[in-house]
Amino acid sequence: TGSGRANLTIDYFVVVLDSLENQSDAGLTLANNAEWVWSSGNMSAQADGVEILEPDLTLSKTAYPTRAYLNQTITFTLTIDHTGISETTAYDLRLTDIVPPELDYVPGSLRHVGGQTPDLPLIDSGAPTLVVTWSTFDDSDISQIAFDTTFDPSFRRRNHRQTITNQASLSW
């Protein structure tokens, strides 16, 4: 207008750091303060507070059969689910399963069997490390992934009822 004054709008984005202090159960609200300084003055403002919400997921795994013999296929099924205290969608979810050395991964057997579909492709090219990802994993959904193994041909049991453990991890 004729007064020589103009409005200036500045949009900015912030990222909440993944630190021990920034957790959903910490009971705090994060606020962002900004200060603008120029040769003839300064100005400050504070944005509305942001409440931290976090996903809380579970990972369970079953094997079938649980007692196996040489040359028998063992199918592992992994189920990813939000717990009752999960507050939001999980982003950049990564499921990693490293097949133990006593078992051989059956190439091409990594598959989605139910629930929310993961990003494609399912990565088994690095077997025995298997990787499945979701860009977003909705807070109201579950997903099931399965794959097949057999005993390594050089497998020799160390005792009559030897246990082989296959562990997986989930990160987001």
Side-chain angles (χ1 to χ4, degrees), residues 15-156:
V15 175
V16 176
L17 297 177
D18 186 9
S19 67
L20 288 176
E21 295 82 21
N22 293 338
Q23 296 184 9
S24 63
D25 61 353
L28 65 113
T29 302
L30 300 179
N32 188 312
N33 297 311
E35 182 177 7
W36 292 272
V37 178
W38 60 95
S39 61
S40 61
N42 66 4
M43 184 175 153
S44 63
Q46 180 176 0
D48 293 336
V50 175
E51 181 182 357
I52 297 173
L53 302 176
E54 291 183 290
D56 190 58
L57 302 171
T58 62
L59 173 61
S60 60
K61 182 188 283 193
T62 59
Y64 183 80
T66 56
R67 297 180 75 187
Y69 303 95
L70 293 178
N71 299 319
Q72 185 174 10
T73 299
I74 305 164
T75 299
F76 289 94
T77 303
L78 296 92
T79 303
I80 300 103
D81 194 3
H82 283 265
T83 69
I85 63 169
S86 187
E87 300 171 306
T88 188
T89 296
Y91 295 94
D92 301 321
L93 181 64
R94 180 182 178 98
L95 169 67
T96 304
D97 192 314
I98 301 174
V99 178
E102 298 90 348
L103 300 174
D104 282 339
Y105 168 71
V106 175
S109 68
L110 182 62
R111 61 201 179 272
H112 170 252
V113 293
Q116 184 175 334
T117 304
D119 298 343
L120 297 176
L122 305 182
I123 304 169
D124 67 353
S125 59
T129 301
L130 309 175
V131 177
V132 181
T133 60
W134 293 258
S135 300
T136 59
F137 190 77
D138 297 332
D139 61 351
S140 61
D141 218 341
I142 66 167
S143 189
Q144 289 188 313
I145 303 296
F147 63 90
D148 300 325
T149 63
T150 59
F151 282 107
D152 181 292
S154 63
F155 173 78
R156 299 290 178 262

Side-chain angles (χ1 to χ4, degrees), residues 155-163:
F155 173 78
R156 299 290 178 262
R157 68 180 183 194
R158 293 183 297 273
N159 57 56
H160 180 65
R161 292 190 180 259
Q162 181 176 341
T163 299

